[in-house]
Amino acid sequence: MSVTDIHCLLVRAIKERRYVSFNYQSLDRVVVCALLGLTNEGNLAVRAYQIEGKTDSGRTPVWRNFLLSEMNEVSLGERYSCISLPGYFPSDTSFSRIDASL
């Protein structure tokens, strides 16, 4: 799947409020995507709240930016209606461009 395809899928996930599962750095993850765009470093990334799966730190839930270029096996999950996202700031200053957000 290309970065463009992943970008389109994540825009859809944000608009439709769907969980996303993928493999990142050889670890399977399930997240709620909150913000998608271009980081200040010039990388396409998604700001997401990881609710399931493995992490390097061993903790979930956790906020994290994921680079689209490093995401594999990306798929949409079920829709969610009400979920708490503590610590979410829609005006994330680590992004220079926002393509989609909750």
Side-chain angles (χ1 to χ4, degrees):
M1 182 177 282
S2 72
V3 170
T4 301
D5 292 338
I6 294 170
H7 186 277
C8 290
L9 196 66
L10 297 181
V11 168
R12 183 174 163 204
I14 290 170
K15 287 182 179 180
E16 295 178 4
R17 296 187 184 267
R18 294 175 70 163
Y19 297 106
V20 176
S21 60
F22 57 92
N23 185 281
Y24 191 85
Q25 297 177 341
S26 301
L27 299 173
D28 292 328
R29 304 161 191 262
V30 178
V31 303
V32 173
C33 297
L35 189 144
L36 174 68
L38 193 68
T39 66
N40 293 331
E41 292 79 26
N43 299 305
L44 281 173
V46 62
R47 178 86 169 139
Y49 194 57
Q50 184 174 340
I51 57 170
E52 292 180 19
K54 307 255 184 206
T55 68
D56 291 333
S57 68
R59 325 175 265 144
T60 57
V62 64
W63 281 103
R64 176 148 183 215
N65 288 347
F66 296 96
L67 299 177
L68 273 58
S69 62
E70 296 186 28
M71 296 173 74
N72 298 295
E73 303 169 29
V74 183
S75 64
L76 294 181
E78 297 294 318
R79 291 178 188 245
Y80 59 87
S81 56
C82 183
I83 189 166
S84 174
L85 299 174
Y88 171 55
F89 300 104
S91 57
D92 192 323
T93 58
S94 64
F95 285 80
S96 61
R97 184 187 81 210
I98 297 173
D99 299 332
S101 65
L102 291 176

PDB file of all heavy atoms in Angstrom, residues 30-61:
ATOM      1  N   VAL A  30      -3.557  -0.857  17.396  1.00  0.00           N
ATOM      2  CA  VAL A  30      -4.907  -0.393  17.096  1.00  0.00           C
ATOM      3  C   VAL A  30      -5.015   1.007  17.672  1.00  0.00           C
ATOM      4  O   VAL A  30      -4.691   1.224  18.849  1.00  0.00           O
ATOM      5  CB  VAL A  30      -5.989  -1.309  17.704  1.00  0.00           C
ATOM      6  CG1 VAL A  30      -7.379  -0.751  17.407  1.00  0.00           C
ATOM      7  CG2 VAL A  30      -5.851  -2.728  17.170  1.00  0.00           C
ATOM      8  N   VAL A  31      -5.462   1.954  16.840  1.00  0.00           N
ATOM      9  CA  VAL A  31      -5.472   3.354  17.250  1.00  0.00           C
ATOM     10  C   VAL A  31      -6.779   4.052  16.869  1.00  0.00           C
ATOM     11  O   VAL A  31      -7.531   3.569  16.029  1.00  0.00           O
ATOM     12  CB  VAL A  31      -4.297   4.142  16.608  1.00  0.00           C
ATOM     13  CG1 VAL A  31      -2.956   3.518  16.937  1.00  0.00           C
ATOM     14  CG2 VAL A  31      -4.478   4.288  15.116  1.00  0.00           C
ATOM     15  N   VAL A  32      -6.973   5.206  17.509  1.00  0.00           N
ATOM     16  CA  VAL A  32      -7.959   6.186  17.085  1.00  0.00           C
ATOM     17  C   VAL A  32      -7.159   7.329  16.477  1.00  0.00           C
ATOM     18  O   VAL A  32      -6.351   7.960  17.167  1.00  0.00           O
ATOM     19  CB  VAL A  32      -8.797   6.697  18.276  1.00  0.00           C
ATOM     20  CG1 VAL A  32      -9.696   7.840  17.835  1.00  0.00           C
ATOM     21  CG2 VAL A  32      -9.597   5.567  18.894  1.00  0.00           C
ATOM     22  N   CYS A  33      -7.343   7.572  15.197  1.00  0.00           N
ATOM     23  CA  CYS A  33      -6.632   8.665  14.518  1.00  0.00           C
ATOM     24  C   CYS A  33      -7.319   9.976  14.838  1.00  0.00           C
ATOM     25  O   CYS A  33      -8.539  10.097  14.701  1.00  0.00           O
ATOM     26  CB  CYS A  33      -6.622   8.443  13.008  1.00  0.00           C
ATOM     27  SG  CYS A  33      -5.751   6.957  12.507  1.00  0.00           S
ATOM     28  N   ALA A  34      -6.550  10.962  15.257  1.00  0.00           N
ATOM     29  CA  ALA A  34      -7.126  12.245  15.634  1.00  0.00           C
ATOM     30  C   ALA A  34      -6.724  13.370  14.689  1.00  0.00           C
ATOM     31  O   ALA A  34      -7.497  14.296  14.463  1.00  0.00           O
ATOM     32  CB  ALA A  34      -6.709  12.608  17.052  1.00  0.00           C
ATOM     33  N   LEU A  35      -5.531  13.295  14.124  1.00  0.00           N
ATOM     34  CA  LEU A  35      -5.025  14.386  13.290  1.00  0.00           C
ATOM     35  C   LEU A  35      -4.062  13.806  12.257  1.00  0.00           C
ATOM     36  O   LEU A  35      -3.232  12.968  12.590  1.00  0.00           O
ATOM     37  CB  LEU A  35      -4.313  15.389  14.191  1.00  0.00           C
ATOM     38  CG  LEU A  35      -3.900  16.703  13.579  1.00  0.00           C
ATOM     39  CD1 LEU A  35      -4.059  17.804  14.608  1.00  0.00           C
ATOM     40  CD2 LEU A  35      -2.473  16.646  13.120  1.00  0.00           C
ATOM     41  N   LEU A  36      -4.197  14.262  11.024  1.00  0.00           N
ATOM     42  CA  LEU A  36      -3.372  13.759   9.926  1.00  0.00           C
ATOM     43  C   LEU A  36      -2.809  14.942   9.171  1.00  0.00           C
ATOM     44  O   LEU A  36      -3.534  15.893   8.884  1.00  0.00           O
ATOM     45  CB  LEU A  36      -4.238  12.905   8.994  1.00  0.00           C
ATOM     46  CG  LEU A  36      -3.622  12.387   7.708  1.00  0.00           C
ATOM     47  CD1 LEU A  36      -2.537  11.350   8.019  1.00  0.00           C
ATOM     48  CD2 LEU A  36      -4.692  11.775   6.820  1.00  0.00           C
ATOM     49  N   GLY A  37      -1.524  14.897   8.868  1.00  0.00           N
ATOM     50  CA  GLY A  37      -0.939  16.001   8.116  1.00  0.00           C
ATOM     51  C   GLY A  37       0.558  15.892   7.966  1.00  0.00           C
ATOM     52  O   GLY A  37       1.141  14.810   8.064  1.00  0.00           O
ATOM     53  N   LEU A  38       1.171  17.047   7.749  1.00  0.00           N
ATOM     54  CA  LEU A  38       2.602  17.147   7.522  1.00  0.00           C
ATOM     55  C   LEU A  38       3.260  17.694   8.785  1.00  0.00           C
ATOM     56  O   LEU A  38       2.869  18.751   9.293  1.00  0.00           O
ATOM     57  CB  LEU A  38       2.860  18.088   6.339  1.00  0.00           C
ATOM     58  CG  LEU A  38       4.251  18.099   5.740  1.00  0.00           C
ATOM     59  CD1 LEU A  38       4.538  16.761   5.051  1.00  0.00           C
ATOM     60  CD2 LEU A  38       4.374  19.227   4.727  1.00  0.00           C
ATOM     61  N   THR A  39       4.250  16.963   9.291  1.00  0.00           N
ATOM     62  CA  THR A  39       4.943  17.414  10.500  1.00  0.00           C
ATOM     63  C   THR A  39       5.866  18.586  10.175  1.00  0.00           C
ATOM     64  O   THR A  39       6.167  18.852   9.012  1.00  0.00           O
ATOM     65  CB  THR A  39       5.791  16.289  11.123  1.00  0.00           C
ATOM     66  OG1 THR A  39       6.849  15.962  10.218  1.00  0.00           O
ATOM     67  CG2 THR A  39       4.957  15.067  11.436  1.00  0.00           C
ATOM     68  N   ASN A  40       6.351  19.241  11.195  1.00  0.00           N
ATOM     69  CA  ASN A  40       7.306  20.335  11.011  1.00  0.00           C
ATOM     70  C   ASN A  40       8.590  19.856  10.357  1.00  0.00           C
ATOM     71  O   ASN A  40       9.313  20.641   9.750  1.00  0.00           O
ATOM     72  CB  ASN A  40       7.619  21.008  12.352  1.00  0.00           C
ATOM     73  CG  ASN A  40       6.411  21.732  12.913  1.00  0.00           C
ATOM     74  OD1 ASN A  40       5.552  22.194  12.175  1.00  0.00           O
ATOM     75  ND2 ASN A  40       6.337  21.813  14.226  1.00  0.00           N
ATOM     76  N   GLU A  41       8.872  18.559  10.450  1.00  0.00           N
ATOM     77  CA  GLU A  41      10.063  17.975   9.818  1.00  0.00           C
ATOM     78  C   GLU A  41       9.807  17.594   8.361  1.00  0.00           C
ATOM     79  O   GLU A  41      10.706  17.110   7.680  1.00  0.00           O
ATOM     80  CB  GLU A  41      10.529  16.728  10.593  1.00  0.00           C
ATOM     81  CG  GLU A  41      11.072  17.024  11.974  1.00  0.00           C
ATOM     82  CD  GLU A  41       9.962  17.256  13.002  1.00  0.00           C
ATOM     83  OE1 GLU A  41       8.832  16.746  12.832  1.00  0.00           O
ATOM     84  OE2 GLU A  41      10.217  17.988  13.975  1.00  0.00           O
ATOM     85  N   GLY A  42       8.567  17.772   7.879  1.00  0.00           N
ATOM     86  CA  GLY A  42       8.240  17.487   6.487  1.00  0.00           C
ATOM     87  C   GLY A  42       7.790  16.067   6.206  1.00  0.00           C
ATOM     88  O   GLY A  42       7.798  15.631   5.054  1.00  0.00           O
ATOM     89  N   ASN A  43       7.359  15.333   7.243  1.00  0.00           N
ATOM     90  CA  ASN A  43       6.899  13.952   7.076  1.00  0.00           C
ATOM     91  C   ASN A  43       5.386  13.869   7.192  1.00  0.00           C
ATOM     92  O   ASN A  43       4.797  14.514   8.062  1.00  0.00           O
ATOM     93  CB  ASN A  43       7.508  13.051   8.155  1.00  0.00           C
ATOM     94  CG  ASN A  43       9.010  13.013   8.092  1.00  0.00           C
ATOM     95  OD1 ASN A  43       9.581  12.711   7.063  1.00  0.00           O
ATOM     96  ND2 ASN A  43       9.656  13.337   9.203  1.00  0.00           N
ATOM     97  N   LEU A  44       4.760  13.042   6.343  1.00  0.00           N
ATOM     98  CA  LEU A  44       3.342  12.761   6.512  1.00  0.00           C
ATOM     99  C   LEU A  44       3.195  11.864   7.725  1.00  0.00           C
ATOM    100  O   LEU A  44       3.867  10.833   7.841  1.00  0.00           O
ATOM    101  CB  LEU A  44       2.765  12.069   5.281  1.00  0.00           C
ATOM    102  CG  LEU A  44       2.448  12.980   4.108  1.00  0.00           C
ATOM    103  CD1 LEU A  44       2.047  12.151   2.890  1.00  0.00           C
ATOM    104  CD2 LEU A  44       1.341  13.960   4.458  1.00  0.00           C
ATOM    105  N   ALA A  45       2.328  12.259   8.655  1.00  0.00           N
ATOM    106  CA  ALA A  45       2.166  11.515   9.897  1.00  0.00           C
ATOM    107  C   ALA A  45       0.736  11.629  10.387  1.00  0.00           C
ATOM    108  O   ALA A  45      -0.022  12.501   9.976  1.00  0.00           O
ATOM    109  CB  ALA A  45       3.127  12.038  10.967  1.00  0.00           C
ATOM    110  N   VAL A  46       0.389  10.721  11.288  1.00  0.00           N
ATOM    111  CA  VAL A  46      -0.908  10.757  11.947  1.00  0.00           C
ATOM    112  C   VAL A  46      -0.669  10.813  13.454  1.00  0.00           C
ATOM    113  O   VAL A  46       0.188  10.122  13.992  1.00  0.00           O
ATOM    114  CB  VAL A  46      -1.784   9.533  11.551  1.00  0.00           C
ATOM    115  CG1 VAL A  46      -1.151   8.221  11.971  1.00  0.00           C
ATOM    116  CG2 VAL A  46      -3.185   9.671  12.103  1.00  0.00           C
ATOM    117  N   ARG A  47      -1.399  11.702  14.117  1.00  0.00           N
ATOM    118  CA  ARG A  47      -1.395  11.778  15.582  1.00  0.00           C
ATOM    119  C   ARG A  47      -2.526  10.875  16.027  1.00  0.00           C
ATOM    120  O   ARG A  47      -3.682  11.089  15.641  1.00  0.00           O
ATOM    121  CB  ARG A  47      -1.631  13.216  16.035  1.00  0.00           C
ATOM    122  CG  ARG A  47      -1.689  13.379  17.529  1.00  0.00           C
ATOM    123  CD  ARG A  47      -0.291  13.562  18.060  1.00  0.00           C
ATOM    124  NE  ARG A  47      -0.316  13.975  19.455  1.00  0.00           N
ATOM    125  CZ  ARG A  47       0.523  13.492  20.344  1.00  0.00           C
ATOM    126  NH1 ARG A  47       1.440  12.620  20.003  1.00  0.00           N
ATOM    127  NH2 ARG A  47       0.473  13.901  21.584  1.00  0.00           N
ATOM    128  N   ALA A  48      -2.195   9.837  16.778  1.00  0.00           N
ATOM    129  CA  ALA A  48      -3.190   8.832  17.122  1.00  0.00           C
ATOM    130  C   ALA A  48      -3.075   8.412  18.579  1.00  0.00           C
ATOM    131  O   ALA A  48      -2.015   8.508  19.190  1.00  0.00           O
ATOM    132  CB  ALA A  48      -3.019   7.612  16.214  1.00  0.00           C
ATOM    133  N   TYR A  49      -4.195   7.938  19.096  1.00  0.00           N
ATOM    134  CA  TYR A  49      -4.286   7.434  20.460  1.00  0.00           C
ATOM    135  C   TYR A  49      -4.310   5.919  20.373  1.00  0.00           C
ATOM    136  O   TYR A  49      -5.291   5.327  19.927  1.00  0.00           O
ATOM    137  CB  TYR A  49      -5.562   7.973  21.100  1.00  0.00           C
ATOM    138  CG  TYR A  49      -5.651   7.838  22.590  1.00  0.00           C
ATOM    139  CD1 TYR A  49      -4.683   8.377  23.427  1.00  0.00           C
ATOM    140  CD2 TYR A  49      -6.747   7.214  23.172  1.00  0.00           C
ATOM    141  CE1 TYR A  49      -4.791   8.282  24.794  1.00  0.00           C
ATOM    142  CE2 TYR A  49      -6.863   7.112  24.543  1.00  0.00           C
ATOM    143  CZ  TYR A  49      -5.883   7.651  25.355  1.00  0.00           C
ATOM    144  OH  TYR A  49      -5.995   7.556  26.715  1.00  0.00           O
ATOM    145  N   GLN A  50      -3.204   5.290  20.746  1.00  0.00           N
ATOM    146  CA  GLN A  50      -3.124   3.832  20.660  1.00  0.00           C
ATOM    147  C   GLN A  50      -3.862   3.212  21.828  1.00  0.00           C
ATOM    148  O   GLN A  50      -3.547   3.473  22.989  1.00  0.00           O
ATOM    149  CB  GLN A  50      -1.672   3.356  20.644  1.00  0.00           C
ATOM    150  CG  GLN A  50      -1.567   1.862  20.447  1.00  0.00           C
ATOM    151  CD  GLN A  50      -0.146   1.364  20.287  1.00  0.00           C
ATOM    152  OE1 GLN A  50       0.747   2.128  19.962  1.00  0.00           O
ATOM    153  NE2 GLN A  50       0.054   0.082  20.510  1.00  0.00           N
ATOM    154  N   ILE A  51      -4.846   2.379  21.502  1.00  0.00           N
ATOM    155  CA  ILE A  51      -5.680   1.773  22.541  1.00  0.00           C
ATOM    156  C   ILE A  51      -5.404   0.291  22.738  1.00  0.00           C
ATOM    157  O   ILE A  51      -5.754  -0.270  23.776  1.00  0.00           O
ATOM    158  CB  ILE A  51      -7.176   2.000  22.253  1.00  0.00           C
ATOM    159  CG1 ILE A  51      -7.537   1.454  20.876  1.00  0.00           C
ATOM    160  CG2 ILE A  51      -7.519   3.473  22.361  1.00  0.00           C
ATOM    161  CD1 ILE A  51      -9.028   1.421  20.595  1.00  0.00           C
ATOM    162  N   GLU A  52      -4.810  -0.357  21.733  1.00  0.00           N
ATOM    163  CA  GLU A  52      -4.486  -1.783  21.827  1.00  0.00           C
ATOM    164  C   GLU A  52      -3.200  -2.066  21.082  1.00  0.00           C
ATOM    165  O   GLU A  52      -2.770  -1.283  20.248  1.00  0.00           O
ATOM    166  CB  GLU A  52      -5.597  -2.640  21.201  1.00  0.00           C
ATOM    167  CG  GLU A  52      -6.900  -2.637  21.936  1.00  0.00           C
ATOM    168  CD  GLU A  52      -7.942  -3.502  21.248  1.00  0.00           C
ATOM    169  OE1 GLU A  52      -7.582  -4.374  20.425  1.00  0.00           O
ATOM    170  OE2 GLU A  52      -9.124  -3.290  21.520  1.00  0.00           O
ATOM    171  N   GLY A  53      -2.633  -3.218  21.367  1.00  0.00           N
ATOM    172  CA  GLY A  53      -1.443  -3.655  20.655  1.00  0.00           C
ATOM    173  C   GLY A  53      -0.177  -3.424  21.455  1.00  0.00           C
ATOM    174  O   GLY A  53      -0.202  -3.047  22.622  1.00  0.00           O
ATOM    175  N   LYS A  54       0.917  -3.646  20.799  1.00  0.00           N
ATOM    176  CA  LYS A  54       2.238  -3.551  21.421  1.00  0.00           C
ATOM    177  C   LYS A  54       2.825  -2.154  21.228  1.00  0.00           C
ATOM    178  O   LYS A  54       2.534  -1.475  20.259  1.00  0.00           O
ATOM    179  CB  LYS A  54       3.174  -4.574  20.804  1.00  0.00           C
ATOM    180  CG  LYS A  54       2.639  -5.975  20.808  1.00  0.00           C
ATOM    181  CD  LYS A  54       3.319  -6.793  21.850  1.00  0.00           C
ATOM    182  CE  LYS A  54       2.817  -8.221  21.729  1.00  0.00           C
ATOM    183  NZ  LYS A  54       2.904  -8.940  22.925  1.00  0.00           N
ATOM    184  N   THR A  55       3.670  -1.757  22.177  1.00  0.00           N
ATOM    185  CA  THR A  55       4.409  -0.502  22.079  1.00  0.00           C
ATOM    186  C   THR A  55       5.833  -0.743  22.573  1.00  0.00           C
ATOM    187  O   THR A  55       6.089  -1.705  23.303  1.00  0.00           O
ATOM    188  CB  THR A  55       3.783   0.613  22.951  1.00  0.00           C
ATOM    189  OG1 THR A  55       3.952   0.265  24.323  1.00  0.00           O
ATOM    190  CG2 THR A  55       2.314   0.826  22.648  1.00  0.00           C
ATOM    191  N   ASP A  56       6.727   0.146  22.181  1.00  0.00           N
ATOM    192  CA  ASP A  56       8.096   0.055  22.695  1.00  0.00           C
ATOM    193  C   ASP A  56       8.129   0.277  24.201  1.00  0.00           C
ATOM    194  O   ASP A  56       8.918  -0.325  24.917  1.00  0.00           O
ATOM    195  CB  ASP A  56       9.003   1.065  21.997  1.00  0.00           C
ATOM    196  CG  ASP A  56       9.245   0.708  20.537  1.00  0.00           C
ATOM    197  OD1 ASP A  56       9.185  -0.490  20.191  1.00  0.00           O
ATOM    198  OD2 ASP A  56       9.496   1.627  19.740  1.00  0.00           O
ATOM    199  N   SER A  57       7.253   1.149  24.685  1.00  0.00           N
ATOM    200  CA  SER A  57       7.220   1.460  26.118  1.00  0.00           C
ATOM    201  C   SER A  57       6.455   0.410  26.914  1.00  0.00           C
ATOM    202  O   SER A  57       6.575   0.351  28.136  1.00  0.00           O
ATOM    203  CB  SER A  57       6.580   2.829  26.342  1.00  0.00           C
ATOM    204  OG  SER A  57       5.199   2.779  26.007  1.00  0.00           O
ATOM    205  N   GLY A  58       5.621  -0.380  26.218  1.00  0.00           N
ATOM    206  CA  GLY A  58       4.837  -1.395  26.899  1.00  0.00           C
ATOM    207  C   GLY A  58       3.555  -0.877  27.513  1.00  0.00           C
ATOM    208  O   GLY A  58       2.879  -1.609  28.235  1.00  0.00           O
ATOM    209  N   ARG A  59       3.189   0.391  27.234  1.00  0.00           N
ATOM    210  CA  ARG A  59       1.985   0.959  27.846  1.00  0.00           C
ATOM    211  C   ARG A  59       0.970   1.369  26.791  1.00  0.00           C
ATOM    212  O   ARG A  59       1.328   1.912  25.761  1.00  0.00           O
ATOM    213  CB  ARG A  59       2.252   2.212  28.668  1.00  0.00           C
ATOM    214  CG  ARG A  59       3.489   2.296  29.399  1.00  0.00           C
ATOM    215  CD  ARG A  59       3.651   3.656  30.061  1.00  0.00           C
ATOM    216  NE  ARG A  59       4.447   4.504  29.180  1.00  0.00           N
ATOM    217  CZ  ARG A  59       4.269   5.794  29.005  1.00  0.00           C
ATOM    218  NH1 ARG A  59       3.329   6.412  29.619  1.00  0.00           N
ATOM    219  NH2 ARG A  59       5.032   6.477  28.204  1.00  0.00           N
ATOM    220  N   THR A  60      -0.283   1.134  27.088  1.00  0.00           N
ATOM    221  CA  THR A  60      -1.400   1.707  26.347  1.00  0.00           C
ATOM    222  C   THR A  60      -2.461   2.055  27.380  1.00  0.00           C
ATOM    223  O   THR A  60      -2.502   1.427  28.436  1.00  0.00           O
ATOM    224  CB  THR A  60      -1.994   0.725  25.309  1.00  0.00           C
ATOM    225  OG1 THR A  60      -2.403  -0.448  25.962  1.00  0.00           O
ATOM    226  CG2 THR A  60      -1.051   0.443  24.184  1.00  0.00           C
ATOM    227  N   PRO A  61      -3.306   3.006  27.142  1.00  0.00           N
ATOM    228  CA  PRO A  61      -3.336   3.869  25.962  1.00  0.00           C
ATOM    229  C   PRO A  61      -2.217   4.910  25.994  1.00  0.00           C
ATOM    230  O   PRO A  61      -1.736   5.264  27.067  1.00  0.00           O
ATOM    231  CB  PRO A  61      -4.708   4.533  26.044  1.00  0.00           C
ATOM    232  CG  PRO A  61      -5.046   4.536  27.499  1.00  0.00           C
ATOM    233  CD  PRO A  61      -4.376   3.322  28.094  1.00  0.00           C
TER     234      PRO A  61
END
